[in-house]
Amino acid sequence: MRQGMSSPSAAAALVLLLALLAGGQCREAQLDAADAGTGTENYTASDAAVYWGPWQRARATWYGQPNGAGPDDNGGACGFKHTNQYPFMSMGSCGNQPLFKDGKGCGSCYKIRCRKDPSCSGRTETVIITDMNYYPVSKYHFDLSGTAFGRLAKPGLNDKLRHSGIIDIEFTRVPCEFPGLKIGFHVEEYSNPVYFAVLVEYEDGDGDVVQVDLMESKTARGPPTGRWTPMRESWGSVWRMDTNHRMQPPFSIRIRNESGKTLVANNVIPANWRPNTFYRSFVQYS
């Protein structure tokens, strides 16, 4: 175990603290009296979970650099990294609770459009939930990257639309498509033989994960144990396991999405795994 990480719970607490400090950088919108008090309306968990359902009303703001991916570190409260690169391509968004869903909405995809503001093009664009919105201005609030917000504008009016600040939009849930990618697992920093944390990303379809289970092996070269152990959601799309024994890799990982579909990545984490390392599986929902 690394020096200073005297227990699995200490490692988990430190990782969570770092996540809170680094992620969730969606800015607080400046509201007038007409906007105040509209972020606490009742909703059901299924309101934003149906593919190609009716267009629903929302509001949008933007944060970060005008042509950026949102957070300064190209990350966010979901734990995804390099959101300025493929497949995110800076088209990320913070979601308030009905969209972020305590992290279980991370990675889900939405078509959005704006038609009321004179600078809006009316075209649809696809955004991915990558961050948490702590200051909603409506029942559904997308705090978009500067890039995503500008993409809603008519040609040449990107900056003018961004100057509008808060705009009315419409949205609908759509399946995610990440051509050429399999589901990936990034072993997080501070993971060790008794504390294991992994970021799950690049899921086609729902794009999100609502449960992750881990199976150890009997020996480093032996067969799996056949016993699945549920992992706990740590933060965003990061799941963790704290144990009172040294875990035996290789690890197989089973994931379940919001639609209830499961996939198993057999021995995806090798016997010689390292923290802060990405491991690609051979499975995908598509």
Side-chain angles (χ1 to χ4, degrees):
M1 189 178 299
R2 296 190 177 202
Q3 185 177 4
M5 295 294 107
S6 57
S7 68
S9 59
L14 177 58
V15 171
L16 180 58
L17 175 60
L18 293 175
L20 293 173
L21 292 174
Q25 299 174 28
C26 295
R27 63 176 175 81
E28 180 173 7
Q30 299 300 313
L31 309 182
D32 57 28
D35 293 319
T38 60
T40 58
E41 301 176 44
N42 294 328
Y43 67 92
T44 64
S46 60
D47 279 348
V50 179
Y51 292 159
W52 296 112
W55 287 93
Q56 300 187 68
R57 291 182 296 175
R59 283 192 146 184
T61 51
W62 66 279
Y63 74 117
Q65 297 299 312
N67 294 300
D72 292 337
D73 62 355
N74 296 318
C78 286
F80 302 136
K81 299 163 178 65
H82 311 299
T83 57
N84 58 322
Q85 301 175 14
Y86 183 81
F88 303 103
M89 301 302 290
S90 299
M91 293 295 288
S93 176
C94 301
N96 64 320
Q97 180 55 18
L99 303 168
F100 186 76
K101 304 174 187 175
D102 291 324
K104 291 183 173 66
C106 288
S108 51
C109 299
Y110 295 89
K111 288 282 188 184
I112 61 172
R113 66 187 182 191
C114 73
R115 298 189 292 181
K116 287 188 176 182
D117 191 287
S119 300
C120 289
S121 69
R123 295 189 310 270
T124 61
E125 299 289 346
T126 301
V127 296
I128 304 171
I129 299 299
T130 58
D131 210 343
M132 172 64 182
N133 184 341
Y134 297 94
Y135 306 102
V137 300
S138 62
K139 178 180 178 181
Y140 298 110
H141 179 185
F142 291 80
D143 198 11
L144 302 166
S145 68
T147 296
F149 198 94
R151 288 278 289 273
L152 297 173
K154 295 174 182 176
L157 297 182
N158 312 70
D159 287 335
K160 186 174 182 180
L161 182 63
R162 281 190 282 261
H163 287 155
S164 297
I166 303 175
I167 62 173
D168 294 310
I169 64 169
E170 297 172 315
F171 75 98
T172 186
R173 178 87 178 265
V174 296
C176 296
E177 298 178 355
F178 302 126
L181 293 180
K182 301 297 184 182
I183 294 173
F185 300 91
H186 185 275
V187 178
E188 298 294 281
E189 192 171 5
Y190 303 117
S191 292
N192 58 64
V194 296
Y195 168 77
F196 184 79
V198 64
L199 167 72
V200 186
E201 55 188 347
Y202 309 145
E203 306 96 325
D204 279 353
D206 287 5
D208 55 28
V209 173
V210 300
Q211 181 57 50
V212 179
D213 306 304
L214 183 145
M215 184 186 293
E216 298 178 54
S217 296
K218 292 182 178 179
T219 66
R221 296 180 179 274
T225 62
R227 295 188 302 272
W228 289 106
T229 303
M231 300 185 73
R232 298 171 59 190
E233 187 179 17
S234 184
W235 59 280
S237 196
V238 177
W239 295 74
R240 78 173 193 265
M241 182 177 293
D242 307 276
T243 72
N244 57 7
H245 70 277
R246 293 178 67 89
M247 289 181 280
Q248 178 62 65
F251 302 141
S252 296
I253 296 181
R254 181 175 66 185
I255 64 173
R256 186 175 79 246
N257 66 12
E258 190 174 7
S259 297
K261 298 177 182 178
T262 61
L263 281 179
V264 175
N266 289 311
N267 295 331
V268 66
I269 308 298
N272 61 343
W273 65 268
R274 290 172 171 267
N276 201 27
T277 303
F278 179 82
Y279 298 97
R280 191 176 304 282
S281 75
F282 294 99
V283 298
Q284 185 54 276
Y285 279 110
S286 57

